[in-house]
Amino acid sequence: MSKAQEKSREETINHLASRIDKFEKYSGQHSQAMSELAAHLARRFGLAESDIEAICEAALLHDIGLQTMMPVYHASPNALRFEERLDLWRHPIIGEQETAKREASRHAQLLVRWHHEWWNGYGYPDMLAYEDIPIGARILRAVELYNALLGKRPYRSAHTKKEAVEILKASAGIECDPYVVHALLALLDEMGELQAPEPISEPPQPMLEADAQPSAENQIEATAQSLENQIEAADQINVENPETTAAANVQPPANEQSQVVFQPTNEAFTNQPTGNQTTASPVEPQSRFFSDPTTLSTESVSPSSTNAPNPPAIESPTSQPAPPTVWQSLNESTPQSLSPGELPQAPSNSPSAPETVSSEVVPNSDTTSQVDASTSAETPQPNLALQAALSKYETTPLMPFSPPTIAPVEQTTTSIIEVDDSPTWLNWTGGSYNKKSLLGFQVSVLRQFQFDSIAIPFSGEAKLDWYLKLFRKRILSNDSRAWAALAARATIESTEALTEDHINQLLEDIYIPGARLTNKQLLGWFRETDAWWLENLHRNIQILADEKLRAQAYLLGMQTGDYALSFNEETLDYRRPLATVFWRLAGRLNIGAYRHPQNRCFNLAPQDFIKQSQVDLLYLDLPAARAEVAGNEARSEWRECWVTGTSDTTGDATRAITSLQSKQAYLLKVEEMLSAAAHIKRWAVGCQDIGLTSAREISELIKAHRPIRATYSKDVAEVAGGLRSYIIIAEKA
């Protein structure tokens, strides 16, 4: 590309970034400030120049999806309704598509998609976690959070730099990668940002009625003081008890370029010129039903056989924002048709001509009446009691599904002070492959088919289960791992959330060690003080009488343990006491809405579960054979050890499949599960090209049982650890 063309493109992107900032009513150059900070961090992390360019481009255009949506609730000073928060989840997905239209690199498109993913896996749209999130997206998350806190928003006043720094530190291990936070704070310090005088603060804004907290101040203060006393006592106990001084802080080893191959003939999408994916934002993870940019290729299947309703077409944006529509479909073009069972060719490396057009499939019109017409009585409400008790330890209110902190930058200093960008921050964890489960892609595909009930043999953390629960589907969820079965129970069977009294009961004497540590296997992952904390929590969980409340407590315990594992000696200063973190996570836990009374969770071998399931649809997300265990999956082993009290994994069917050593053995396992599912009308089989088998071989195996109606794919191979994911749809003839 000539220098003149490069300059012209740069000017175009900068102009577009300014328009986006203006639309969002930023008083400063928000996107430009993000880009400059992100570039400094990327160079310090030793990234290649092409990767730095992609990060800068994504920073400039990260909110282009929000500008395209033009939601009227964006400028509202009131707390967003549940449906509005879910709708907001679509903006990174739309942003991915819009950047593809403008011929952004595939890397930049994916970073726009994932700039709202949270370190702990509760961002959106794909709920990626830990090392599964590309380093560029982790950089954007931390940089945007800091810049956003400095700006005034319709729903809050601007934070001072001191407040923004404290909130950024508190985000480490939950929203942001602790190492990225550490590097960003060092950068800000070198730039003089942390020593710069604070601007004159504005008069405090009157509190909105929606933000008001319960008035039981005495009880809240007593709860907070009790927790503070426990934390202080823990420090003394750690010194006085000889057993706790030998702590070993041992850490465990550490694309949706969706393409639909075979789309039903009654197309749900209109033309859209480029391939894209779904994205997520950094606030509480729950989305207004987004769809993933999925490219569909048609197959000669009659509309009657697919039962896929046509979503309403999205209205083109105008100068005046239209009233928010909960269910809007994203326009998508349809790639060339492929024959049944045929898989797409390898994607083109040319960013200007993506292999497929991806589209986010927004919930079908049959769901509109269910959610849009729902009343506030049925909508999950923030747990105000837990948030109030937590307020003593929080710098800002933590409300489930709080509006994203997309805020203006009041002053820009990043381009004035010279800083050393030599690659000296090289201890960040990379993105080797680890079976990424792309929630946006899965939802996008499944929402194209009409079904009332679904069976999921490998539920994992039950994030797909939670999402489908919002559509009032009857869900049968299963996982051979005890921790995953408990996560599913907490997600899809629960009707009531843990209360403040429950949390107090769970944290009673939490820092006091016993005579001896029963579950010594925990020392393989945690310091001794953390192992005692988790063991005491496990003991207190058994006191709860309701099994669904126990499941929620286990889920919070797993999240807290994952938080503890997110820090090393270099980032330990940003770690908060585990009891405080437990309170924070409890205030954010959302068990979802619209629970179907027949939702059930199981802890069975997959074949046994499939045989017993009487459902309309089977979603079989196959574990990858011989896949490297990293990212979110690396946490599975300690969770199972903590929940069961043993490191024995002989009953773990997921592990049994991933440890297979031959292609023949793997295909035989898949064959057994498909044979057990002969009675289920429709199959959706998810797989990836990794390990012992390819998607083509899985497709051939499925065709031996029944015709394949469609194959969908999503390609994220442009980033480290990313591959092409497939979902193959097969139905009885």
Side-chain angles (χ1 to χ4, degrees):
M1 182 181 294
S2 67
K3 291 184 178 180
Q5 288 176 315
E6 290 179 359
K7 183 177 181 181
S8 176
R9 175 167 174 77
E10 181 180 354
E11 291 174 348
T12 300
I13 292 176
N14 288 332
H15 177 68
L16 183 56
S18 298
R19 286 176 54 193
I20 296 171
D21 289 345
K22 184 177 180 181
F23 163 74
E24 298 193 75
K25 296 180 174 59
Y26 290 156
S27 58
Q29 294 181 329
H30 169 69
S31 299
Q32 186 64 43
M34 273 188 61
S35 177
E36 293 179 2
L37 278 178
H40 284 303
L41 285 180
R43 293 190 180 94
R44 292 178 168 215
F45 286 178
L47 301 187
E49 194 61 35
S50 60
D51 294 332
I52 297 173
E53 291 175 1
I55 291 172
C56 291
E57 189 170 19
L60 290 170
L61 303 179
H62 68 284
D63 275 337
I64 189 174
L66 196 60
Q67 183 201 31
T68 302
M69 290 172 61
M70 300 184 70
V72 294
Y73 55 75
H74 174 63
S76 172
N78 300 317
L80 296 182
R81 295 183 297 112
F82 181 64
E83 290 82 5
E84 291 170 338
R85 298 182 193 281
L86 291 175
D87 186 57
L88 195 63
W89 268 35
R90 298 186 304 128
H91 88 269
I93 295 171
I94 299 174
E96 180 191 12
Q97 297 173 338
E98 292 298 315
T99 53
K101 290 179 182 179
R102 289 159 176 82
E103 299 183 346
S105 68
R106 183 71 184 125
H107 189 183
Q109 295 172 32
L110 290 173
L111 294 181
V112 169
R113 175 188 182 88
W114 290 329
H115 78 281
H116 276 308
E117 298 288 353
W118 278 27
W119 174 252
N120 70 350
Y122 284 83
Y124 56 82
D126 290 320
M127 289 190 172
L128 299 180
Y130 312 113
E131 295 84 5
D132 296 4
I133 308 171
I135 186 62
R138 285 181 257 164
I139 290 173
L140 293 180
R141 178 71 260 119
V143 168
E144 184 186 18
L145 174 62
Y146 175 74
N147 280 335
L149 292 169
L150 298 178
K152 179 182 178 182
R153 305 309 294 145
Y155 46 85
R156 65 159 173 81
S157 57
H159 290 280
T160 65
K161 289 182 180 178
K162 182 178 180 181
E163 292 172 341
V165 166
E166 290 306 312
I167 296 173
L168 182 62
K169 290 179 179 179
S171 76
I174 295 180
E175 181 174 349
C176 299
D177 180 349
Y179 188 77
V180 174
V181 170
H182 187 37
L184 176 56
L185 289 173
L187 172 62
L188 294 172
D189 187 37
E190 292 179 33
M191 296 171 64
E193 284 287 288
L194 306 188
Q195 293 79 32
E198 297 287 355
I200 300 175
S201 58
E202 300 179 5
Q205 302 295 320
M207 179 180 291
L208 298 171
E209 182 178 355
D211 296 331
Q213 298 290 340
S215 59
E217 297 180 0
N218 294 336
Q219 182 180 2
I220 294 171
E221 181 64 27
T223 301
Q225 186 62 48
S226 173
L227 181 56
E228 214 170 34
N229 293 339
Q230 289 183 4
I231 296 171
E232 294 174 357
D235 295 334
Q236 299 176 0
I237 291 169
N238 294 341
V239 175
E240 296 171 1
N241 192 319
E243 294 186 9
T244 62
T245 59
N249 185 16
V250 182
Q251 300 292 335
N255 290 219
E256 167 175 300
Q257 175 102 0
S258 39
Q259 160 184 336
V260 180
V261 186
F262 326 131
Q263 172 185 357
T265 54
N266 73 330
E267 300 172 358
F269 305 97
T270 56
N271 291 334
Q272 174 173 332
T274 49
N276 301 287
Q277 307 69 357
T278 53
T279 317
S281 152
V283 193
E284 314 312 77
Q286 308 249 2
S287 73
R288 188 157 187 154
F289 313 106
F290 60 83
S291 315
D292 192 49
T294 309
T295 311
L296 307 173
S297 66
T298 63
E299 174 188 0
S300 55
V301 179
S302 64
S304 60
S305 65
T306 60
N307 294 323
N310 292 319
I314 190 169
E315 297 180 5
S316 58
T318 60
S319 58
Q320 296 298 325
T325 302
V326 177
W327 309 121
Q328 292 177 326
S329 68
L330 305 181
N331 298 333
E332 182 71 289
S333 64
T334 304
Q336 72 280 6
S337 300
L338 299 178
S339 59
E342 182 181 356
L343 297 174
Q345 299 299 317
S348 168
N349 292 327
S350 171
S352 60
E355 172 201 2
T356 59
V357 179
S358 63
S359 86
E360 299 297 342
V361 180
V362 175
N364 293 327
S365 56
D366 65 331
T367 319
T368 307
S369 60
Q370 298 177 0
V371 178
D372 273 344
S374 61
T375 63
S376 59
E378 196 172 9
T379 299
Q381 300 298 319
N383 195 330
L384 297 180
L386 293 184
Q387 292 164 4
L390 173 64
S391 61
K392 187 176 181 66
Y393 302 94
E394 289 297 335
T395 52
T396 54
L398 291 173
M399 299 183 66
F401 315 109
S402 57
T405 52
I406 305 171
V409 178
E410 299 298 339
Q411 59 283 327
T412 302
T413 60
T414 56
S415 60
I416 299 177
I417 300 178
E418 293 289 337
V419 294
D420 181 10
D421 280 345
S422 57
T424 54
W425 291 77
L426 304 178
N427 293 333
W428 53 274
T429 50
S432 55
Y433 174 77
N434 54 67
K435 190 65 175 77
K436 293 186 196 302
S437 292
L438 302 176
L439 176 64
F441 174 54
Q442 295 168 350
V443 173
S444 173
V445 173
L446 295 183
R447 286 299 297 163
Q448 297 182 60
F449 301 96
Q450 193 173 57
F451 63 93
D452 296 322
S453 55
I454 185 172
I456 306 176
F458 300 97
S459 64
E461 292 185 276
K463 293 176 179 177
L464 176 62
D465 309 48
W466 176 89
Y467 206 95
L468 294 175
K469 179 181 177 181
L470 299 177
F471 296 105
R472 293 187 173 90
K473 304 298 183 183
R474 181 170 72 90
I475 304 168
L476 300 184
S477 181
N478 176 75
D479 204 292
S480 60
R481 299 166 294 187
W483 72 264
L486 285 170
R489 172 163 291 171
T491 301
I492 70 169
E493 287 192 17
S494 295
T495 56
E496 297 180 0
L498 291 166
T499 65
E500 182 181 347
D501 290 339
H502 290 137
I503 304 300
N504 283 324
Q505 186 178 8
L506 290 169
L507 297 180
E508 184 176 358
D509 297 330
I510 195 71
Y511 286 103
I512 301 177
R516 65 183 181 87
L517 188 66
T518 303
N519 193 350
K520 293 183 178 180
Q521 292 91 339
L522 292 175
L523 295 176
W525 295 276
F526 299 94
R527 300 182 302 174
E528 188 170 350
T529 50
D530 293 343
W532 273 114
W533 193 95
L534 288 166
E535 181 155 297
N536 290 338
L537 178 63
H538 188 281
R539 175 202 65 207
N540 291 345
I541 289 175
Q542 305 307 312
I543 301 174
L544 297 177
D546 189 296
E547 62 179 9
K548 298 180 182 64
L549 293 180
R550 288 201 302 271
Q552 293 179 49
Y554 274 118
L555 179 58
L556 289 172
M558 289 185 277
Q559 294 175 8
T560 307
D562 290 341
Y563 171 88
L565 292 178
S566 297
F567 298 87
N568 55 28
E569 294 300 327
E570 193 171 3
T571 58
L572 200 58
D573 289 344
Y574 307 113
R575 204 185 101 152
R576 299 308 197 246
L578 296 188
T580 302
V581 173
F582 192 89
W583 271 102
R584 293 179 65 186
L585 295 172
R588 293 177 174 185
L589 183 65
N590 189 289
I591 59 177
Y594 322 128
R595 172 185 173 271
H596 193 288
Q598 296 180 2
N599 286 350
R600 293 293 182 271
C601 301
F602 301 89
N603 182 213
L604 303 171
Q607 293 95 318
D608 297 336
F609 167 75
I610 293 171
K611 287 179 182 178
Q612 299 175 23
S613 300
Q614 300 297 323
V615 292
D616 303 327
L617 173 65
L618 169 72
Y619 179 61
L620 181 60
D621 190 16
L622 295 174
R626 291 201 322 208
E628 181 178 351
V629 178
N632 199 30
E633 286 296 317
R635 273 74 175 174
S636 175
E637 193 171 349
W638 90 258
R639 296 169 187 165
E640 190 74 1
C641 176
W642 177 61
V643 167
T644 62
T646 177
S647 56
D648 181 16
T649 58
T650 55
D652 184 353
T654 303
R655 187 182 182 91
I657 294 176
T658 58
S659 61
L660 293 173
Q661 297 298 302
S662 71
K663 179 183 297 186
Q664 182 181 5
Y666 185 84
L667 292 177
L668 180 60
K669 283 288 185 183
V670 178
E671 170 77 22
E672 291 174 354
M673 288 184 283
L674 294 179
S675 298
H679 62 288
I680 301 177
K681 178 181 178 181
R682 179 180 285 139
W683 299 344
V685 181
C687 61
Q688 293 179 326
D689 276 330
I690 187 172
L692 296 175
T693 59
S694 67
R696 187 175 297 278
E697 289 168 322
I698 297 297
S699 179
E700 292 298 324
L701 184 60
I702 294 173
K703 284 195 290 186
H705 288 263
R706 58 178 57 178
I708 291 179
R709 301 301 186 187
T711 297
Y712 301 78
S713 77
K714 177 74 175 178
D715 186 16
V716 296
E718 183 65 25
V719 297
L723 293 171
R724 182 186 288 272
S725 297
Y726 298 88
I727 297 180
I728 305 169
I729 307 297
E731 294 182 354
K732 285 184 178 181

